[in-house]
Amino acid sequence: MTTALTTAEFVVRTIAQTSIDNEKYFGDLDSVVGDGDFGYSLARGFEGVLADWDEFDRADAGTFLLKIAVAITSRIGGTSGPIWGTAFMKTGMKLKGTESPTHIEVIAALRDGIDGIKKRGKSDVGDKTLLDALVPAVDALETALSSGASVQEALDATAVATREAAEATTTMRAMRGRASYSGERSIGSPDAGAIAIAVLAEKLAASWNER
């Protein structure tokens, strides 16, 4: 098993378990101006991923992520399924066939995932979506790794930047999704998807040395 595959497994499992553990929290955040099903949908989808964990093709990290993408798309309800599934699919496509991707290749794959989300959700940074935390997260990760930081240091820096970006969505007006229907009422509470990305970034940083 390659280091890249081991890392991909760690990241996906951490995302899955953290999403399940935070089902109520994410749902409560979403219920402020959304339909409140974000936490439930994410948790049920990732429960399915963990249930079938040993069945996924592990030819390489990219192939593994592609299989996860299919599982997520079919099991996560609402708009979250296509959005999260697309992110994993585009990232996996970029890494497929690469045994030991460099940090530059990993960042490029993550940016492909971001581009996929933008196209699928017809959204961009500033629309008060998970992109408002995810883009700064990848930016911070790239900056840290390019400067020679260790993976742990890079993840720590990413967690801080992602939390700040997620909290900053509080002052934004939602332009996409169910929350956009509430107009000015969407101002004053953070975006549930952005906060979820922050929580995931913090958990990845906190558990990296335990993998």
Side-chain angles (χ1 to χ4, degrees), residues 116-131:
I117 292 174
K118 289 180 178 180
K119 291 174 182 176
R120 174 63 71 137
K122 296 181 175 60
S123 59
D124 208 334
V125 173
D127 288 339
K128 192 166 184 169
T129 70
L130 59 81
L131 287 170

Side-chain angles (χ1 to χ4, degrees), residues 5-26:
L5 177 56
T6 301
T7 300
E9 286 187 321
F10 161 74
V11 171
V12 173
R13 182 177 281 280
T14 301
I15 289 173
Q17 191 60 58
T18 305
S19 296
I20 293 169
D21 293 343
N22 287 275
E23 176 183 347
K24 184 179 186 305
Y25 176 48
F26 294 163

Side-chain angles (χ1 to χ4, degrees), residues 140-155:
L141 184 64
E142 180 177 27
T143 298
L145 291 175
S146 296
S147 69
S150 67
V151 175
Q152 182 65 68
E153 290 170 337
L155 289 175

Side-chain angles (χ1 to χ4, degrees), residues 13-91:
R13 182 177 281 280
T14 301
I15 289 173
Q17 191 60 58
T18 305
S19 296
I20 293 169
D21 293 343
N22 287 275
E23 176 183 347
K24 184 179 186 305
Y25 176 48
F26 294 163
D28 288 346
L29 285 171
D30 187 43
S31 67
V32 177
V33 292
D35 50 21
D37 70 344
F38 174 62
Y40 176 86
S41 297
L42 216 58
R44 298 294 82 73
F46 279 116
E47 278 180 349
V49 166
L50 293 183
D52 295 338
W53 188 252
D54 294 332
E55 308 303 318
F56 296 114
D57 188 338
R58 287 168 165 78
D60 55 50
T63 298
F64 173 68
L65 292 176
L66 285 171
K67 297 303 180 182
I68 295 296
V70 173
I72 287 174
T73 301
S74 63
R75 290 169 179 157
I76 297 181
T79 57
S80 294
I83 293 296
W84 287 68
T86 295
F88 277 94
M89 179 185 70
K90 292 294 186 179
T91 302

Side-chain angles (χ1 to χ4, degrees), residues 10 14 18 151-152 155-157 159 198-211:
F10 161 74
T14 301
T18 305
V151 175
Q152 182 65 68
L155 289 175
D156 288 341
V199 171
L200 294 174
E202 289 164 348
K203 186 62 177 179
L204 287 168
S207 57
W208 176 253
N209 284 329
E210 301 170 7
R211 70 193 190 286

